Amino acid sequence: RLRGAPSLRLDIDRLTELASSYANLIPDDIGGVELDRSPLLEELETKLVGARVVQVRGLPGSGKSVVVKQAVQRALAIGPVLFLKAEQLEGTSWISYATSQGLSGARLEQLLVDVGASGTPVFFIDAIDRIEKEHQAVVLDVMRAIVTSPLLDNWKVVVSLRDTGIEVLRNWLSELLDVVKVETVSVEPLTDEEAETLARAKPHLRPLLFGSAQVREIVRRPFFAKVLNQSYLADPNSPTFVPQSEVDLLENWWGRGGYNETGQGA
């Protein structure tokens, strides 16, 4: 690994700090239980060898963000990383985002060259399909630099998105996605083996994890299993809630207070 330009040291350290902070915002447990989904991470790394862009796709709550989080953490163990998260984006261009995060006015291309030389030349983006229109140019600026600059031809891109978000994504990234090879890692609901591991740790979830097909389809997505576990812990004496759809789960969750948000926050 190269050391990088001394003049960019503060910027590189700041990007690394942001990547670590964003990764830590992504929960990767179900009531303290961490499931081993390393095969998905290995598949991601294999597909990155032959593709320029890898999409981590799946249904809502299936654990896409956790796969990206783990990939970012592996990269951080090597060196600097560029990682953006939809909910944390600010600004209407890379320059305005960089300013908002305390970065200098260094050229984006040179910054990426340095990150790639001293760390991992992969641009990670979590929940790219949920990026607000006003912030999309931040991502576009980085993607254009990666696709068009000969100095960045070793750079790759990893994004997570919902299955339903692919058309939305192509509406604003088609000019770039159409000129590179794109691969997909599909994040599926928990397997029987993974569900059994969770059921042993959370016996109250077993009837749901191994219930009817409609219930399994929901509960075997880690985020929703986490929600149901929280509902149980809030009132373990109440009858077990058995959702038949995501809408049922949504109504039950908000009925119990949800995230305790109101108004625009909700």
Side-chain angles (χ1 to χ4, degrees), residues 41-119:
L41 191 55
E42 304 304 330
E43 182 183 355
L44 170 61
E45 294 186 344
T46 297
K47 289 190 172 179
L48 268 177
V49 174
R52 198 81 193 274
V53 176
V54 176
Q55 309 172 103
V56 180
R57 287 173 52 186
L59 293 168
S62 58
K64 305 174 295 296
S65 294
V66 172
V67 175
V68 173
K69 171 182 180 170
Q70 293 175 346
V72 168
Q73 289 177 326
R74 275 195 184 184
L76 283 167
I78 297 172
V81 177
L82 177 59
F83 175 37
L84 299 182
K85 200 171 185 304
E87 298 86 349
Q88 270 63 50
L89 278 182
E90 297 181 46
T92 55
S93 67
W94 170 260
I95 292 175
S96 59
Y97 170 78
T99 300
S100 73
Q101 300 304 315
L103 298 169
S104 73
R107 287 174 52 240
L108 174 58
E109 182 185 52
Q110 184 55 52
L111 194 58
L112 294 177
V113 167
D114 252 50
V115 171
S118 56

Side-chain angles (χ1 to χ4, degrees), residues 203-248:
H204 50 276
L205 292 180
R206 181 178 289 278
L208 305 178
L209 290 164
F210 292 93
S212 68
Q214 297 97 314
V215 174
R216 289 200 311 269
E217 197 274 334
I218 300 166
V219 184
R220 288 196 181 191
R221 287 183 254 166
F223 176 76
F224 296 138
K226 185 183 183 80
V227 170
L228 286 164
N229 182 63
Q230 289 171 341
S231 293
Y232 173 83
L233 294 177
D235 188 3
N237 295 319
S238 66
T240 301
F241 171 59
V242 183
Q244 299 297 317
S245 69
E246 289 179 17
V247 175
D248 289 349

